[in-house]
Amino acid sequence: MENVLRPLIVIGGSLVLTLLVVWTADLLLRRADQRHQGVPLWNLLRRCRLPLQFAMCAALLRASYDQADLTDDHSAGAGQILTLVLIGSTAWLMVRIAAAIVESSYSRYANAHHDAARVRRVRTQVTLIQRVVSAIVGVVAVAAMLLTFPAMQAAGASLLASAGILGIVAGVAAQSTLSNMFAGLQIAFGDMVRLGDTVVVNGEWGTVDEITLTFLTVRTWDERRITMPVSYFTSQPFENWSRGGVQMTGTVFFQLDHSTPVEEMRDKLRDILRECPAWDGRDYGLAVTDSTASTMEVRALVTAKDADDVWTVRVTVREQMLRWLTSHHPYALPRVNTADAILPPSAAHPNGNGNEAHRPRTTPRGRMVEPPRTGRG
């Protein structure tokens, strides 16, 4: 009877005590969150319930497992498993606590400051700091797990003795990975690019969606995701439309006929922009910027408060201006001239007698046509 009750008391008591402590901690955190509604830390710490349960249960079982006398033959193996679970759950708990603290600090900072660029910079920094802390905790946890094995303890001395050679080999083998990691830290604290910035990379326009220690994700306007190594942004030029203010100036080009009424187009552009909510009212303009043998280039200049709005203004101006030209001034649209060329007088009278009845003519396609003969001869 004692062999049955003792394991039940040890295991059951550990589980009940774990549930009781976790329930009490969750109740205290809930009351603290209700008392301090402006501080999101207490509600975020409630996410640590599951790793706390694993850590407490593993610690209690590891401390009282020898008293249960379940399996004397496998007590060492069971104790080793409980130790590994305790180390892993403790690392999980530390990562959750660090994430809650970082997220709470960022939320309070974002609510206190209204500068979007500064908030995005802090968000990028705290995100990378959280990833670094998680990586460090994970490495330490794995190392602690390995050191619980006696064979690994014996190999530790030899590994430390050859750490210099291994470091050189690892540095050469993981050169690109290390460069990306240092580039990620440089981006985080050098304020080169931030989460939410509008960038143009490799001819693609999009928004920075995710930044890690090794790669960066750009979400394009058509919902595609472009993943690039972070070292690209420290070694290659790219456009960041969110640096130094988000106001944008856009252009719309038209290829039109030389007879286009430019002054009326200026008036129409002003009317279109006044009815466009995306136009910020800062500036606009219309000018002839180039001319060819058959058309002229007209450029419309518009402004907006950010990249999304300037795109909306550009497409609105292009659509409504072309519709207005088609309905009111169709002659202004580019045309292909297919009429015969007018010859100069010297070419029209090659013999000086003004008689061109027997001169061959050319068609618009360039073929020689013999003029019709008169009379019966």
Side-chain angles (χ1 to χ4, degrees):
M1 190 68 178
E2 183 181 358
N3 295 333
V4 177
L5 290 177
R6 182 177 296 179
L8 290 177
I9 293 174
V10 171
I11 298 176
S14 299
L15 294 176
V16 171
L17 184 59
T18 298
L19 294 176
L20 181 61
V21 171
V22 172
W23 178 81
T24 304
D26 183 68
L27 180 62
L28 294 176
L29 290 175
R30 187 184 305 144
R31 291 183 177 179
D33 181 59
Q34 294 176 356
R35 193 179 300 111
H36 304 87
Q37 296 183 357
V39 181
L41 176 62
W42 309 113
N43 188 30
L44 294 174
L45 287 176
R46 295 183 60 193
R47 302 177 183 177
C48 304
R49 288 174 295 179
L50 188 59
L52 180 61
Q53 290 177 357
F54 275 95
M56 283 203 61
C57 186
L60 292 175
L61 289 177
R62 184 66 183 86
S64 61
Y65 179 76
D66 295 335
Q67 306 297 327
D69 293 334
L70 287 176
T71 54
D72 296 335
D73 297 335
H74 303 285
S75 60
Q80 182 72 20
I81 293 174
L82 290 175
T83 302
L84 296 178
V85 173
L86 176 60
I87 295 174
S89 57
T90 303
W92 186 13
L93 179 61
M94 293 178 63
V95 170
R96 282 289 182 89
I97 293 175
I101 295 175
V102 169
E103 190 172 349
S104 174
S105 302
Y106 167 72
S107 178
R108 296 180 62 183
Y109 184 88
N111 293 330
H113 296 79
H114 302 286
D115 188 356
R118 183 178 297 179
V119 170
R120 289 200 305 269
R121 181 182 62 186
V122 173
R123 180 186 176 190
T124 303
Q125 293 176 354
V126 298
T127 300
L128 290 180
I129 289 174
Q130 179 180 345
R131 293 180 185 274
V132 170
V133 171
S134 301
I136 293 175
V137 172
V139 171
V140 173
V142 172
M145 289 179 180
L146 294 177
L147 291 177
T148 58
F149 296 93
M152 295 302 299
Q153 294 178 358
S158 59
L159 289 176
L160 292 175
S162 59
I165 299 176
L166 290 176
I168 296 174
V169 173
V172 174
Q175 183 178 2
S176 60
T177 302
L178 292 176
S179 64
N180 282 330
M181 292 182 64
F182 285 112
L185 294 176
Q186 184 178 355
I187 286 177
F189 298 99
D191 198 23
M192 299 175 59
V193 62
R194 299 155 299 197
L195 291 172
D197 281 2
T198 302
V199 296
V200 178
V201 289
N202 289 337
E204 295 285 350
W205 177 88
T207 305
V208 178
D209 191 54
E210 183 181 6
I211 299 178
T212 67
L213 289 176
T214 55
F215 67 89
L216 186 148
T217 303
V218 177
R219 176 171 52 86
T220 60
W221 63 273
D222 54 355
E223 301 298 331
R224 290 182 293 116
R225 301 296 192 277
I226 301 177
T227 302
M228 309 182 68
V230 293
S231 59
Y232 174 88
F233 293 87
T234 58
S235 59
Q236 300 291 333
F238 65 95
E239 297 182 26
N240 190 341
W241 292 4
S242 300
R243 296 281 297 181
V246 295
Q247 294 178 342
M248 297 290 298
T249 299
T251 56
V252 182
F253 290 95
F254 300 95
Q255 300 295 329
L256 302 174
D257 191 78
H258 292 98
S259 59
T260 302
V262 180
E263 290 296 334
E264 295 184 22
M265 285 187 65
R266 289 193 181 97
D267 297 337
K268 183 60 179 179
L269 175 63
R270 183 183 63 251
D271 297 338
I272 294 174
L273 293 177
R274 287 177 176 175
E275 297 178 359
C276 182
W279 182 54
D280 61 357
R282 285 190 297 122
D283 192 13
Y284 76 96
L286 190 138
V288 179
T289 56
D290 197 3
S291 178
T292 63
S294 58
T295 61
M296 66 177 181
E297 182 183 74
V298 179
R299 184 197 67 184
L301 186 141
V302 295
T303 59
K305 64 181 180 64
D306 54 26
D308 293 334
D309 283 354
V310 80
W311 171 263
T312 303
V313 176
R314 290 174 61 194
V315 297
T316 302
V317 169
R318 184 182 295 110
E319 177 183 351
Q320 296 190 18
M321 186 67 74
L322 289 177
R323 185 186 306 165
W324 176 76
L325 289 173
T326 303
S327 59
H328 293 81
H329 304 281
Y331 59 88
L333 300 178
R335 295 169 293 174
V336 179
N337 194 355
T338 58
D340 293 341
I342 301 176
L343 299 177
S346 59
H349 306 282
N351 297 325
N353 54 8
N355 185 8
E356 52 177 332
H358 297 284
R359 183 173 58 85
R361 295 187 294 106
T362 59
T363 63
R365 296 187 179 181
R367 294 186 303 170
M368 302 297 295
V369 177
E370 185 70 20
R373 298 181 181 271
T374 60
R376 295 184 180 181

Short mmCIF file of all heavy atoms in Angstrom, two decimals, residues 288-325:
data_model
loop_
_atom_site.label_atom_id
_atom_site.label_comp_id
_atom_site.label_asym_id
_atom_site.label_seq_id
_atom_site.Cartn_x
_atom_site.Cartn_y
_atom_site.Cartn_z
N VAL A 288 5.33 71.71 -70.66
CA VAL A 288 5.80 70.93 -71.80
C VAL A 288 7.29 70.68 -71.59
O VAL A 288 8.09 71.62 -71.55
CB VAL A 288 5.55 71.66 -73.12
CG1 VAL A 288 6.08 70.85 -74.29
CG2 VAL A 288 4.05 71.93 -73.30
N THR A 289 7.68 69.43 -71.43
CA THR A 289 9.06 69.09 -71.09
C THR A 289 9.86 68.55 -72.26
O THR A 289 11.09 68.49 -72.18
CB THR A 289 9.08 68.05 -69.95
OG1 THR A 289 8.31 66.90 -70.35
CG2 THR A 289 8.48 68.64 -68.69
N ASP A 290 9.21 68.15 -73.36
CA ASP A 290 9.97 67.61 -74.49
C ASP A 290 9.08 67.66 -75.73
O ASP A 290 7.86 67.81 -75.64
CB ASP A 290 10.41 66.17 -74.21
CG ASP A 290 11.52 65.73 -75.14
OD1 ASP A 290 11.97 66.56 -75.95
OD2 ASP A 290 11.94 64.56 -75.06
N SER A 291 9.73 67.54 -76.89
CA SER A 291 9.00 67.58 -78.16
C SER A 291 9.72 66.71 -79.17
O SER A 291 10.95 66.67 -79.22
CB SER A 291 8.92 69.02 -78.68
OG SER A 291 8.26 69.06 -79.93
N THR A 292 8.92 65.98 -79.97
CA THR A 292 9.45 65.15 -81.04
C THR A 292 8.82 65.60 -82.36
O THR A 292 8.07 66.59 -82.40
CB THR A 292 9.15 63.66 -80.78
OG1 THR A 292 7.72 63.46 -80.77
CG2 THR A 292 9.71 63.22 -79.44
N ALA A 293 9.10 64.88 -83.42
CA ALA A 293 8.57 65.24 -84.72
C ALA A 293 7.06 65.10 -84.80
O ALA A 293 6.40 65.81 -85.57
CB ALA A 293 9.23 64.40 -85.81
N SER A 294 6.48 64.22 -84.00
CA SER A 294 5.04 63.96 -84.10
C SER A 294 4.28 64.29 -82.83
O SER A 294 3.06 64.48 -82.87
CB SER A 294 4.79 62.49 -84.48
OG SER A 294 5.38 61.63 -83.51
N THR A 295 4.92 64.33 -81.67
CA THR A 295 4.22 64.57 -80.41
C THR A 295 5.04 65.52 -79.53
O THR A 295 6.20 65.82 -79.82
CB THR A 295 3.99 63.26 -79.64
OG1 THR A 295 5.26 62.66 -79.34
CG2 THR A 295 3.13 62.30 -80.43
N MET A 296 4.42 65.94 -78.46
CA MET A 296 5.13 66.67 -77.41
C MET A 296 4.82 66.03 -76.07
O MET A 296 3.76 65.41 -75.88
CB MET A 296 4.73 68.14 -77.40
CG MET A 296 3.29 68.42 -77.01
SD MET A 296 2.95 70.21 -76.94
CE MET A 296 1.23 70.20 -76.43
N GLU A 297 5.77 66.15 -75.14
CA GLU A 297 5.63 65.54 -73.82
C GLU A 297 5.18 66.60 -72.82
O GLU A 297 5.83 67.63 -72.65
CB GLU A 297 6.96 64.94 -73.37
CG GLU A 297 6.89 64.23 -72.04
CD GLU A 297 8.25 63.72 -71.61
OE1 GLU A 297 9.08 64.56 -71.21
OE2 GLU A 297 8.48 62.50 -71.68
N VAL A 298 4.06 66.32 -72.15
CA VAL A 298 3.50 67.22 -71.15
C VAL A 298 3.60 66.54 -69.79
O VAL A 298 3.17 65.39 -69.63
CB VAL A 298 2.04 67.58 -71.46
CG1 VAL A 298 1.47 68.50 -70.39
CG2 VAL A 298 1.93 68.24 -72.83
N ARG A 299 4.18 67.27 -68.82
CA ARG A 299 4.35 66.70 -67.48
C ARG A 299 3.45 67.43 -66.49
O ARG A 299 3.49 68.66 -66.39
CB ARG A 299 5.80 66.84 -67.03
CG ARG A 299 6.09 66.18 -65.67
CD ARG A 299 7.38 66.68 -65.08
NE ARG A 299 7.29 68.09 -64.71
CZ ARG A 299 8.31 68.80 -64.24
NH1 ARG A 299 9.51 68.25 -64.12
NH2 ARG A 299 8.16 70.09 -63.93
N ALA A 300 2.67 66.65 -65.76
CA ALA A 300 1.84 67.18 -64.68
C ALA A 300 2.52 66.83 -63.36
O ALA A 300 2.89 65.68 -63.13
CB ALA A 300 0.44 66.59 -64.73
N LEU A 301 2.68 67.81 -62.48
CA LEU A 301 3.34 67.64 -61.19
C LEU A 301 2.32 67.79 -60.08
O LEU A 301 1.55 68.77 -60.05
CB LEU A 301 4.46 68.67 -61.04
CG LEU A 301 5.35 68.57 -59.80
CD1 LEU A 301 6.79 68.90 -60.17
CD2 LEU A 301 4.86 69.52 -58.71
N VAL A 302 2.28 66.81 -59.16
CA VAL A 302 1.31 66.80 -58.06
C VAL A 302 2.05 66.45 -56.77
O VAL A 302 3.14 65.89 -56.79
CB VAL A 302 0.17 65.79 -58.33
CG1 VAL A 302 -0.66 66.20 -59.52
CG2 VAL A 302 0.73 64.38 -58.52
N THR A 303 1.43 66.75 -55.63
CA THR A 303 2.01 66.45 -54.32
C THR A 303 0.99 65.72 -53.46
O THR A 303 -0.22 65.79 -53.69
CB THR A 303 2.43 67.75 -53.60
OG1 THR A 303 1.28 68.60 -53.45
CG2 THR A 303 3.51 68.49 -54.39
N ALA A 304 1.49 65.02 -52.44
CA ALA A 304 0.63 64.29 -51.50
C ALA A 304 1.39 64.10 -50.20
O ALA A 304 2.61 64.29 -50.12
CB ALA A 304 0.19 62.95 -52.08
N LYS A 305 0.66 63.67 -49.17
CA LYS A 305 1.26 63.56 -47.85
C LYS A 305 2.11 62.31 -47.67
O LYS A 305 2.96 62.27 -46.78
CB LYS A 305 0.18 63.60 -46.77
CG LYS A 305 -0.78 62.43 -46.80
CD LYS A 305 -1.83 62.57 -45.70
CE LYS A 305 -2.82 61.40 -45.72
NZ LYS A 305 -2.16 60.12 -45.42
N ASP A 306 1.92 61.28 -48.48
CA ASP A 306 2.76 60.08 -48.38
C ASP A 306 2.74 59.35 -49.71
O ASP A 306 2.12 59.80 -50.69
CB ASP A 306 2.29 59.15 -47.24
CG ASP A 306 0.82 58.77 -47.35
OD1 ASP A 306 0.29 58.78 -48.46
OD2 ASP A 306 0.21 58.46 -46.32
N ALA A 307 3.46 58.22 -49.76
CA ALA A 307 3.61 57.49 -51.01
C ALA A 307 2.30 56.89 -51.50
O ALA A 307 2.04 56.87 -52.72
CB ALA A 307 4.66 56.37 -50.83
N ASP A 308 1.47 56.41 -50.60
CA ASP A 308 0.18 55.84 -51.02
C ASP A 308 -0.72 56.89 -51.66
O ASP A 308 -1.35 56.64 -52.70
CB ASP A 308 -0.52 55.20 -49.83
CG ASP A 308 0.22 53.98 -49.31
OD1 ASP A 308 0.93 53.35 -50.11
OD2 ASP A 308 0.09 53.65 -48.12
N ASP A 309 -0.77 58.06 -51.04
CA ASP A 309 -1.63 59.11 -51.59
C ASP A 309 -1.10 59.67 -52.90
O ASP A 309 -1.88 60.03 -53.79
CB ASP A 309 -1.77 60.24 -50.57
CG ASP A 309 -2.75 59.88 -49.46
OD1 ASP A 309 -3.38 58.82 -49.57
OD2 ASP A 309 -2.88 60.65 -48.49
N VAL A 310 0.22 59.76 -53.05
CA VAL A 310 0.74 60.29 -54.31
C VAL A 310 0.45 59.33 -55.46
O VAL A 310 0.23 59.75 -56.61
CB VAL A 310 2.25 60.57 -54.19
CG1 VAL A 310 3.09 59.32 -54.34
CG2 VAL A 310 2.69 61.61 -55.22
N TRP A 311 0.41 58.04 -55.17
CA TRP A 311 0.02 57.08 -56.21
C TRP A 311 -1.45 57.28 -56.59
O TRP A 311 -1.80 57.27 -57.77
CB TRP A 311 0.26 55.66 -55.69
CG TRP A 311 -0.30 54.60 -56.59
CD1 TRP A 311 -1.49 53.96 -56.47
CD2 TRP A 311 0.32 54.06 -57.76
NE1 TRP A 311 -1.66 53.05 -57.49
CE2 TRP A 311 -0.57 53.09 -58.29
CE3 TRP A 311 1.52 54.30 -58.42
CZ2 TRP A 311 -0.27 52.37 -59.45
CZ3 TRP A 311 1.80 53.57 -59.57
CH2 TRP A 311 0.92 52.63 -60.07
N THR A 312 -2.30 57.51 -55.60
CA THR A 312 -3.72 57.74 -55.88
C THR A 312 -3.92 59.01 -56.70
O THR A 312 -4.72 59.04 -57.64
CB THR A 312 -4.49 57.83 -54.55
OG1 THR A 312 -4.28 56.63 -53.79
CG2 THR A 312 -5.97 58.01 -54.81
N VAL A 313 -3.19 60.07 -56.36
CA VAL A 313 -3.33 61.32 -57.10
C VAL A 313 -2.85 61.13 -58.55
O VAL A 313 -3.49 61.62 -59.49
CB VAL A 313 -2.53 62.44 -56.41
CG1 VAL A 313 -2.57 63.72 -57.23
CG2 VAL A 313 -3.09 62.70 -55.02
N ARG A 314 -1.77 60.43 -58.75
CA ARG A 314 -1.24 60.25 -60.10
C ARG A 314 -2.22 59.50 -60.99
O ARG A 314 -2.48 59.91 -62.13
CB ARG A 314 0.10 59.51 -60.04
CG ARG A 314 1.24 60.33 -59.45
CD ARG A 314 2.47 59.49 -59.30
NE ARG A 314 2.93 59.00 -60.58
CZ ARG A 314 3.82 58.02 -60.73
NH1 ARG A 314 4.35 57.43 -59.68
NH2 ARG A 314 4.19 57.63 -61.94
N VAL A 315 -2.75 58.40 -60.50
CA VAL A 315 -3.67 57.62 -61.34
C VAL A 315 -4.97 58.38 -61.57
O VAL A 315 -5.58 58.26 -62.64
CB VAL A 315 -3.93 56.23 -60.71
CG1 VAL A 315 -2.66 55.42 -60.64
CG2 VAL A 315 -4.56 56.35 -59.33
N THR A 316 -5.40 59.18 -60.58
CA THR A 316 -6.62 59.97 -60.77
C THR A 316 -6.43 61.03 -61.83
O THR A 316 -7.28 61.22 -62.71
CB THR A 316 -7.03 60.62 -59.43
OG1 THR A 316 -7.23 59.60 -58.45
CG2 THR A 316 -8.29 61.43 -59.59
N VAL A 317 -5.30 61.74 -61.79
CA VAL A 317 -5.02 62.77 -62.79
C VAL A 317 -4.88 62.16 -64.17
O VAL A 317 -5.43 62.68 -65.16
CB VAL A 317 -3.74 63.54 -62.40
CG1 VAL A 317 -3.27 64.42 -63.56
CG2 VAL A 317 -3.99 64.38 -61.16
N ARG A 318 -4.20 61.04 -64.28
CA ARG A 318 -4.02 60.41 -65.59
C ARG A 318 -5.36 59.98 -66.19
O ARG A 318 -5.65 60.22 -67.37
CB ARG A 318 -3.08 59.21 -65.46
CG ARG A 318 -2.75 58.55 -66.79
CD ARG A 318 -1.86 57.34 -66.62
NE ARG A 318 -0.55 57.71 -66.11
CZ ARG A 318 -0.12 57.41 -64.87
NH1 ARG A 318 -0.93 56.76 -64.03
NH2 ARG A 318 1.08 57.76 -64.48
N GLU A 319 -6.18 59.35 -65.38
CA GLU A 319 -7.46 58.84 -65.88
C GLU A 319 -8.40 59.98 -66.29
O GLU A 319 -8.95 59.98 -67.40
CB GLU A 319 -8.11 57.98 -64.80
CG GLU A 319 -9.49 57.45 -65.18
CD GLU A 319 -10.13 56.65 -64.06
OE1 GLU A 319 -9.43 56.37 -63.07
OE2 GLU A 319 -11.32 56.33 -64.18
N GLN A 320 -8.59 60.96 -65.42
CA GLN A 320 -9.55 62.02 -65.72
C GLN A 320 -9.05 62.97 -66.81
O GLN A 320 -9.85 63.48 -67.60
CB GLN A 320 -9.85 62.80 -64.43
CG GLN A 320 -10.53 61.97 -63.36
CD GLN A 320 -11.04 62.82 -62.21
OE1 GLN A 320 -11.19 64.02 -62.34
NE2 GLN A 320 -11.31 62.17 -61.08
N MET A 321 -7.75 63.21 -66.87
CA MET A 321 -7.22 64.08 -67.93
C MET A 321 -7.39 63.44 -69.30
O MET A 321 -7.78 64.11 -70.27
CB MET A 321 -5.76 64.39 -67.65
CG MET A 321 -5.16 65.41 -68.61
SD MET A 321 -5.88 67.06 -68.42
CE MET A 321 -5.12 67.57 -66.89
N LEU A 322 -7.10 62.14 -69.42
CA LEU A 322 -7.28 61.47 -70.71
C LEU A 322 -8.76 61.42 -71.10
O LEU A 322 -9.11 61.56 -72.28
CB LEU A 322 -6.70 60.06 -70.64
CG LEU A 322 -5.17 59.96 -70.58
CD1 LEU A 322 -4.73 58.52 -70.44
CD2 LEU A 322 -4.56 60.58 -71.84
N ARG A 323 -9.63 61.23 -70.12
CA ARG A 323 -11.06 61.22 -70.43
C ARG A 323 -11.51 62.60 -70.92
O ARG A 323 -12.30 62.72 -71.86
CB ARG A 323 -11.84 60.81 -69.18
CG ARG A 323 -13.34 60.64 -69.41
CD ARG A 323 -14.03 60.38 -68.10
NE ARG A 323 -13.44 59.25 -67.40
CZ ARG A 323 -13.64 58.97 -66.12
NH1 ARG A 323 -14.42 59.77 -65.39
NH2 ARG A 323 -13.06 57.94 -65.56
N TRP A 324 -11.00 63.66 -70.29
CA TRP A 324 -11.37 65.01 -70.70
C TRP A 324 -10.83 65.34 -72.08
O TRP A 324 -11.53 65.94 -72.91
CB TRP A 324 -10.83 66.00 -69.67
CG TRP A 324 -11.06 67.43 -70.02
CD1 TRP A 324 -12.22 68.12 -69.93
CD2 TRP A 324 -10.08 68.34 -70.52
NE1 TRP A 324 -12.04 69.42 -70.33
CE2 TRP A 324 -10.74 69.59 -70.70
CE3 TRP A 324 -8.73 68.25 -70.82
CZ2 TRP A 324 -10.07 70.70 -71.18
CZ3 TRP A 324 -8.05 69.35 -71.28
CH2 TRP A 324 -8.72 70.57 -71.48
N LEU A 325 -9.61 64.94 -72.38
CA LEU A 325 -9.05 65.19 -73.70
C LEU A 325 -9.82 64.42 -74.77
O LEU A 325 -10.04 64.93 -75.88
CB LEU A 325 -7.57 64.79 -73.72
CG LEU A 325 -6.60 65.70 -72.95
CD1 LEU A 325 -5.21 65.08 -72.93
CD2 LEU A 325 -6.56 67.09 -73.56
#
